[in-house]
Amino acid sequence: MNMKTEVKVVDGVYWVGAVDWNVRYFHGYTYTTPRGTTYNAYLIQDEKVALVDTVYAAFTGEMMDRIRALVDPEKIDYIIANHVETDHSGALAAMLKAAKNAKLVCNQRCKDGLEKNYFGNWDYSIVKTGDTIKLGKKTLTFLEAPMLHWPDSMFTYIPEDELLLPNDAFGQHLASTERFVEDYDEAIVMQEAAKYYANILMPMSPLITKKIEEVGKMNLKIRMIAPSHGLIWREPQKIVNAYLRWASGEADKAVLVAYDTMWTATEKMALSIVEGIRSEGVPAKLVRIPVSDRSDAIADCLLMKGILVGSSTINRGMLPSLSPFLEDLKGLRPRKKVGAAFGSFGWSGGGAESVDKILREAGVEISAEPLTVKYMPNAEELKKCFEFGRAMAQKVKA
Ligand SMILES: Cc1cc2nc3c(=O)[nH]c(=O)nc-3n(C[C@H](O)[C@H](O)[C@H](O)COP(=O)(O)O)c2cc1C
Ligand SMILES: [Fe+2]
Ligand SMILES: [Fe+2]
C-alpha cells in the first residue's frame, strides 16, 4: 500500500486510522451506514510517543502500516483507550504486541470492560478526570465522560494544540478520502452527524448538555475536535452548537409521517394526512417503514417536532415490520416530541392502538387519540385524515 498515507492533524499529531468503505450496517443490523465509516486513531509524536485509540480488528494492518510509516511501534510509550467498544479496541491486542514497551492507559471502567472483552493480561495505567501525561511539549489530559455513550467513555485533550479527542462523541459514519469536515460537503457531514446523534446519543441528551456546560466552565480552549468516526472538525463550534440544540430537544416545526400498509388503506390515510399538514404551511416527510431507511427515520425524529405513525391491524396488533423502528424510538426517548397514531383495520382493530401505546412509552406527547378507518378510507374519512394532519401541524407550529 501507499506508505505516505498518514494525515497530519496538527504538528506532531497524525491520523493513523482506517477507512471502512464497505460497511453498511453497524452494531449488528441496528444502524445503517450507507456511506461506510472510518475508525480514527491518532498518533502523537513528542519526546514520548502516544497512540490514542485503535481500530476495528479487521483493519489492524491498515492502521499498523500508517503507524509504521511514522514510527517504529516499539517506540510507542502509551496507548490510550478512550472507549472499550470493539470498533476502537479491536486492534489493541495486536497493537500491544507490536508496541511492546507501551503502557495501556485508560480509566477503571474501561479496564474492567477490556478485561471482560479480551481477557488479556495487559500493563494498565489507570487514569481519571484531571490526570495528565506529559509527553514533552505536549500534554495528554483526561476527562471522563461516563455514558457518552458507554460507562467507560473518556475524552483525551491536548491543551498545547487545543485539540479534543472525544472518541465517539461528535462523530459521523462517513467513509471519505478527506479527513477534515471543511474539505467535504458540510451538509452531508451534518446530516450524518445528526443521524449518529439520533441513533446513538439521543437517550443521553441530558448528560450531553451537562458535559458541554462542564467543559465550558473548565474554560478549555478547543480549536479542533477529532472524533473516532468520520471527519475532523476544524470549526468545532458548528458541531458543539448542533449538539446543544439536539440535546435540548429543540427541532424543526415539521412532521414525520411514518407508516406501513398491507393493501394501501393506511397509505391512503397517510397521504391525506400529509396534505393536511402541508395545508398549514408545515413541512411533512412521508416514509414507509421498512422500505425507507429506519435509521434515517430515527434521524428525522430528532430533527422534526411532530411524529405520526400509521399501521393497519394484523392479528389484533400492529404490523411487525414497524416494530424495529418503534422499539428503537422507545429506547432512544426523543425529547419534546408531539405525535399520534393512525391506521386501517377490518374488525377488531388494535394496530393503531398498539402504535399509540409505544409512542407513549417513548415519551412522545400524544396530541390525539388514534385515528382509525375500517378497510379503505372513503372521501369523508380521507377528509378526517386531512384534518388530523392539519391539527398536528397547528400543534407543531404553536
Ligand atoms: C393476515 C391479516 C390479519 C388481520 N388481522 C386483523 C385483526 O386481527 N383485526 C382487525 O381489525 N383487522 C385485521 N386485518 C384486517 C386489516 O387490518 C384490514 O384489511 C385493513 O384495511 C388493512 O389495511 P392496509 O391496507 O393499510 O394494510 C387483518 C388482515 C390480514 C391480511
Ligand atoms: Fe462506541
Ligand atoms: Fe465507535
Side-chain angles (χ1 to χ4, degrees):
M1 75 178 278
N2 176 7
M3 292 305 286
K4 192 92 187 100
T5 47
E6 81 291 346
V7 174
K8 188 169 98 171
V9 179
V10 294
D11 281 334
V13 179
Y14 298 88
W15 176 85
V16 291
V19 182
D20 191 343
W21 297 99
N22 301 309
V23 65
R24 289 296 176 268
Y25 294 95
F26 220 77
H27 295 148
Y29 286 92
T30 57
Y31 180 166
T32 59
T33 49
R35 293 191 168 94
T37 195
T38 71
Y39 312 102
N40 298 338
Y42 299 96
L43 188 80
I44 301 151
Q45 280 187 298
D46 203 332
E47 284 156 42
K48 302 258 183 200
V49 179
L51 175 69
V52 177
D53 292 320
T54 69
V55 296
Y56 188 41
F59 293 84
T60 305
E62 192 175 329
M63 177 188 68
M64 208 71 95
D65 284 347
R66 290 200 164 94
I67 292 172
R68 285 214 167 93
L70 290 162
V71 69
D72 175 355
E74 293 190 9
K75 299 261 163 60
I76 298 175
D77 301 284
Y78 304 103
I79 298 177
I80 320 303
N82 276 326
H83 181 27
V84 168
E85 205 170 1
T86 189
D87 50 335
H88 309 292
S89 65
L92 258 185
M95 202 56 234
L96 284 164
K97 237 182 220 161
K100 56 179 186 228
N101 302 307
K103 261 200 167 351
L104 178 52
V105 179
C106 65
N107 64 41
Q108 185 61 45
R109 286 178 298 269
C110 189
K111 176 176 187 257
D112 295 345
L114 289 172
E115 282 178 338
K116 199 63 193 61
N117 273 280
Y118 301 106
F119 311 103
N121 188 19
W122 295 335
D123 183 12
Y124 287 94
S125 170
I126 301 302
V127 292
K128 53 184 187 336
T129 293
D131 286 352
T132 59
I133 294 178
K134 197 95 190 124
L135 298 177
K137 286 198 182 68
K138 295 182 197 288
T139 314
L140 301 180
T141 305
F142 304 106
L143 175 60
E144 291 169 281
M147 291 321 292
L148 297 178
H149 66 130
W150 275 19
D152 48 273
S153 295
M154 183 170 84
F155 300 170
T156 297
Y157 173 67
I158 307 173
E160 293 81 4
D161 297 322
E162 301 178 354
L163 172 64
L164 183 69
L165 308 173
N167 194 270
D168 277 332
F170 308 114
Q172 338 91 43
H173 285 310
L174 210 177
S176 60
T177 51
E178 294 76 9
R179 296 275 68 82
F180 296 94
V181 173
E182 294 72 21
D183 298 334
Y184 199 83
D185 181 334
E186 281 195 40
I188 292 178
V189 181
M190 231 358 137
Q191 187 191 327
E192 288 297 341
K195 178 173 173 179
Y196 188 96
Y197 184 98
N199 283 273
I200 294 171
L201 295 168
M202 195 144 65
M204 289 78 172
S205 289
L207 289 176
I208 286 169
T209 310
K210 254 201 207 153
K211 184 53 70 178
I212 294 178
E213 282 170 6
E214 182 191 329
V215 171
K217 279 193 196 120
M218 290 165 84
N219 261 324
L220 297 190
K221 285 217 170 71
I222 297 173
R223 191 158 55 91
M224 229 188 263
I225 293 182
S228 60
H229 297 287
L231 295 127
I232 299 168
W233 304 90
R234 271 189 176 131
E235 294 172 47
Q237 213 49 46
K238 285 181 190 162
I239 189 63
V240 171
N241 288 342
Y243 265 48
L244 282 170
R245 176 175 150 91
W246 296 332
S248 75
E250 203 187 305
D252 294 345
K253 292 176 177 176
V255 183
L256 174 73
V257 182
Y259 73 99
D260 198 13
T261 182
M262 294 184 284
W263 298 114
T264 74
T266 303
E267 185 169 81
K268 290 184 171 79
M269 294 178 74
L271 288 166
S272 286
I273 289 169
V274 165
E275 274 181 44
I277 297 165
R278 290 186 182 152
S279 75
E280 285 289 316
V282 170
K285 182 169 174 185
L286 183 68
V287 298
R288 181 173 178 182
I289 306 285
V291 252
S292 295
D293 186 305
R294 170 162 56 88
S295 313
D296 282 342
I298 291 291
D300 293 330
C301 292
L302 171 74
L303 298 173
M304 300 178 171
K305 171 100 184 136
I307 305 171
L308 295 175
V309 181
S311 171
S312 50
T313 297
I314 187 162
N315 307 323
R316 296 173 168 264
M318 68 179 192
L319 297 177
S321 48
L322 282 163
S323 292
F325 168 68
L326 287 170
E327 280 296 323
D328 239 359
L329 200 64
K330 188 169 95 182
L332 291 167
R333 295 193 66 79
R335 303 181 93 184
K336 298 186 188 162
K337 302 297 167 190
V338 288
F342 63 93
S344 174
F345 69 100
W347 48 97
S348 64
E353 292 79 359
S354 303
V355 171
D356 176 89
K357 182 165 176 275
I358 302 187
L359 287 177
R360 287 173 197 273
E361 287 168 358
V364 174
E365 180 199 329
I366 298 299
S367 64
E369 288 307 305
L371 177 67
T372 60
V373 163
K374 184 165 178 167
Y375 293 122
M376 288 293 161
N378 60 25
E380 192 187 315
E381 286 160 337
L382 286 176
K383 185 90 210 331
K384 277 194 183 141
C385 292
F386 184 94
E387 291 305 327
F388 183 79
R390 256 188 70 178
M392 180 51 146
Q394 285 165 354
K395 183 95 194 165
V396 157
K397 278 201 284 188

